[in-house]
Amino acid sequence: MIALLIAAALALVLSLSGTPVLARYLVRKRYGQFIRDDGPTTHHTKRGTPTMGGAWIIGSVVIAYFATHWIMAMLGPSSGPTASGLLLLMVTVGMGLVGFFDDCIKVSRQRSLGLTAPAKIVGQTAVGVTFGVLALNFPDGSGRTPASTAISFVRDTSLDLAFAGPLVGAVLFILWSILILTATSNGVNITDGLDGLAAGASILVFGAYMLMGIWQFNQRCADPSVPVNICYQVRDPLDLALIAAALCGSLVGFLWWNTTPAKIIMGDTGSLALGGAIAGFAILSRTELLLVIMAGLFVMITLSVIIQVGFFKLSGGRRVFLMTPLHHHFELKGWEQVTVVARFWIIAGLFVAVALGIFYAEWVVLL
């Protein structure tokens, strides 16, 4: 467990100290945020705020991960980086690169729109396919791969995508992975509209995955003392918990500079990376359907956009909300930005608490 503390502390220090350095560099290069014209007028003051801060969120996590494993190896016997850990970092960096290209286009073309929707989907799909293929490989000594073709809730269920054979199962799993990764990364991206909103909500989600990883490690099927009916078939739960701890540390450091008024914005580089990481945790920890509750705030905000667009088209121009995503609706109702963010953090925390409660209750029932 010392490794988790080291990873969190390293990521926190790196993020807290490195983020303002990156912000100053971006200001010199004039890599500032462009604000959509149809958004709340109060956001126009954010124009020019350095963006792409998510690059250092990712960087500090990657550095902290490998540095922690190096430190642990120096202190004594260590298993080193795992297949699950490397896969999670890969999908995080991959989604971050898609967002980086999106941010670069916004900056270079001086507009609030970056990659076209089809181009962004192609990038996300490429990352999803790569992740899906690799996640079904690299079995450990017990034959456990980082992911499985079984649909999971708090653990793998009896619903297996390989019902018609391993090849069909692999193809369906890849499609399933693409769906989860694309939906989650876009959900976090949509939520990232107020200073600190996405970062604070993500800290709560990653904190929950850290606790779940520790619990799964203590109740892992590789431990012969744990009854078979309650053990978790997760390949590398402790390494996943380590990355979750690093993400929490990195985001806390970033949030110091991202709270209102933000000195730097994570941009699509950060939001897509965080969404990819959350989806990766859900798949690799075998809690895919639980993600809908765990990331409930992101789901709620995404649904507000879907409802608004759908109702607008069906009703011939009428609206359900004053503006979407949902946080802008409350801004237009007169709520201060910090009030919206704080209350949405509370909502995010409630969703996370319910998800953790379900996760633990299932274990208690089986016990």
Side-chain angles (χ1 to χ4, degrees):
M1 302 306 170
I2 295 176
L4 274 66
L5 297 176
I6 294 174
L10 282 175
L12 172 62
V13 171
L14 286 169
S15 180
L16 191 61
S17 60
T19 299
V21 176
L22 175 61
R24 289 193 292 270
Y25 171 79
L26 293 171
V27 168
R28 287 198 303 271
K29 293 293 184 179
R30 297 183 179 179
Y31 292 163
Q33 178 71 17
F34 291 87
I35 306 301
R36 49 187 278 207
D37 294 329
D38 59 342
T41 56
T42 55
H43 287 215
H44 291 170
T45 58
K46 299 179 183 180
R47 184 180 180 88
T49 303
T51 186
M52 291 189 281
W56 189 235
I57 296 176
I58 302 170
S60 59
V61 169
V62 172
I63 294 171
Y65 176 78
F66 288 106
T68 299
H69 277 294
W70 178 76
I71 292 171
M72 295 306 296
M74 296 288 288
L75 295 176
S78 173
S79 59
T82 65
S84 298
L86 294 175
L87 269 173
L88 185 55
L89 290 180
M90 182 215 75
V91 76
T92 303
V93 173
M95 286 297 184
L97 284 174
V98 176
F100 178 76
F101 289 128
D102 190 55
D103 286 332
C104 284
I105 291 174
K106 292 176 183 177
V107 171
S108 63
R109 298 186 181 179
Q110 302 285 298
R111 67 186 194 188
S112 61
L113 298 176
L115 289 171
T116 62
K120 185 180 289 187
I121 293 296
V122 168
Q124 293 170 315
T125 299
V127 176
V129 169
T130 304
F131 173 81
V133 171
L134 295 177
L136 293 179
N137 290 283
F138 308 106
D140 61 9
S142 301
R144 297 185 189 88
T145 53
S148 76
T149 55
I151 300 295
S152 60
F153 181 47
V154 294
R155 64 178 77 232
D156 283 347
T157 67
S158 58
L159 180 58
D160 198 329
L161 296 174
F163 60 89
L167 180 59
V168 172
V171 172
L172 291 177
F173 171 76
I174 292 171
L175 295 175
W176 178 236
S177 297
I178 293 171
L179 174 63
I180 296 175
L181 288 165
T182 302
T184 309
S185 58
N186 286 332
V188 178
N189 183 235
I190 291 171
T191 303
D192 183 34
L194 297 180
D195 296 343
L197 178 56
S202 296
I203 290 171
L204 297 171
V205 174
F206 291 130
Y209 279 122
M210 179 185 67
L211 294 176
M212 287 166 55
I214 295 172
W215 182 261
Q216 289 175 331
F217 175 75
N218 291 331
Q219 306 293 332
R220 64 194 185 280
C221 290
D223 187 343
S225 65
V226 180
V228 176
N229 66 309
I230 63 171
C231 70
Y232 294 96
Q233 294 281 359
V234 180
R235 190 188 189 282
D236 309 296
L238 196 59
D239 208 35
L240 295 177
L242 189 151
I243 295 177
L247 279 161
C248 286
S250 180
L251 283 168
V252 168
F254 177 79
L255 191 59
W256 180 271
W257 305 104
N258 184 235
T259 50
T260 304
K263 302 298 187 296
I264 189 170
I265 296 171
M266 71 170 66
D268 286 7
T269 305
S271 60
L272 292 183
L274 294 179
I278 292 172
F281 273 113
I283 295 171
L284 298 176
S285 66
R286 311 290 177 86
T287 56
E288 294 158 356
L289 298 181
L290 189 64
L291 172 63
V292 177
I293 302 172
M294 182 75 76
L297 177 68
F298 303 125
V299 174
M300 183 179 74
I301 290 176
T302 303
L303 283 176
S304 73
V305 176
I306 296 173
I307 291 170
Q308 183 86 323
V309 173
F311 187 77
F312 184 85
K313 292 181 177 179
L314 292 174
S315 65
R318 297 173 61 190
R319 303 173 189 272
V320 177
F321 306 102
L322 296 177
M323 180 180 290
T324 55
L326 188 59
H327 39 270
H328 294 329
H329 167 79
F330 289 104
E331 277 191 286
L332 293 183
K333 285 182 70 69
W335 292 18
E336 292 292 333
Q337 182 176 167
V338 291
T339 302
V340 178
V341 171
R343 288 176 177 172
F344 274 42
W345 282 352
I346 293 172
I347 293 171
L350 291 174
F351 275 119
V352 167
V354 170
L356 285 175
I358 293 172
F359 177 80
Y360 180 69
E362 186 267 353
W363 182 85
V364 171
V365 169
L366 291 178
L367 183 66

